């Protein structure tokens, strides 16, 4: 299931700023980070590599975990539960209900309603107006052309 979870805006977005993608060679992830251990009803406890987690979105007390291979898992935990289990250098909170893995970010756009992060998977995630400067600052280290 690869359905976009976020609704499209009702009015056209006027793009104010555009930043191009980072080079794939600069996307590296520590291989020694412990895997994310999840309990799945069908198969029991399993380990998943953190590097393959593209983003997480919260819905009430549940979280959608979106993986590189296109899988989406609905887990009965909040983002607050999962965030400490992830390497903070590689995951950024874009919005109160969304955390994304930096290595999948291709570009960042500034819009009138906040911002949008475009991922290598084709997904687009909103960046809240309040978090825009923080997100942009955090991405400068891996996307030096943002200066």
């Amino acid at each position: 299931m690869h359905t976009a979870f976020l609704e499209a805006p009702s009015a056209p977005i006027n793009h104010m700023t555009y930043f191009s993608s980072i080079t794939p060679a600069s996307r590296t992830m520590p291989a020694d980070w412990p895997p994310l251990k999840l309990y799945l009803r069908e198969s029991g406890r399993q380990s998943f590599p953190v590097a393959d987690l593209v983003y997480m979105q919260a819905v009430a007390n549940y979280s959608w975990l979106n993986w590189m291979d296109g899988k989406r898992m609905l887990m009965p935990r909040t983002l607050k539960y999962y965030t400490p289990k992830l390497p903070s250098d590689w995951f950024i909170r874009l919005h109160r209900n969304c955390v994304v893995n930096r290595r999948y970010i291709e570009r960042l756009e500034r819009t009138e309603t906040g911002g949008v992060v475009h991922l290598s998977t084709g997904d687009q995630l909103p960046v809240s107006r309040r978090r825009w400067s923080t997100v942009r600052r955090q991405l400068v280290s891996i996307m030096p052309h943002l200066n």
Side-chain angles (χ1 to χ4, degrees), residues 48-64:
F48 295 89
V50 172
D52 292 345
L53 181 60
V54 179
Y55 67 98
M56 298 185 300
Q57 277 188 310
V59 180
N61 288 328
Y62 292 85
S63 296
W64 280 104

Side-chain angles (χ1 to χ4, degrees), residues 79-80 83 91-100 127 131 135 138:
L79 289 182
K80 191 174 183 179
T83 304
F91 284 84
I92 301 172
R93 185 171 287 256
L94 300 178
H95 202 272
R96 65 184 167 85
N97 68 352
C98 187
V99 176
V100 68
V127 179
R131 293 184 191 266
V135 168
Q138 288 176 329

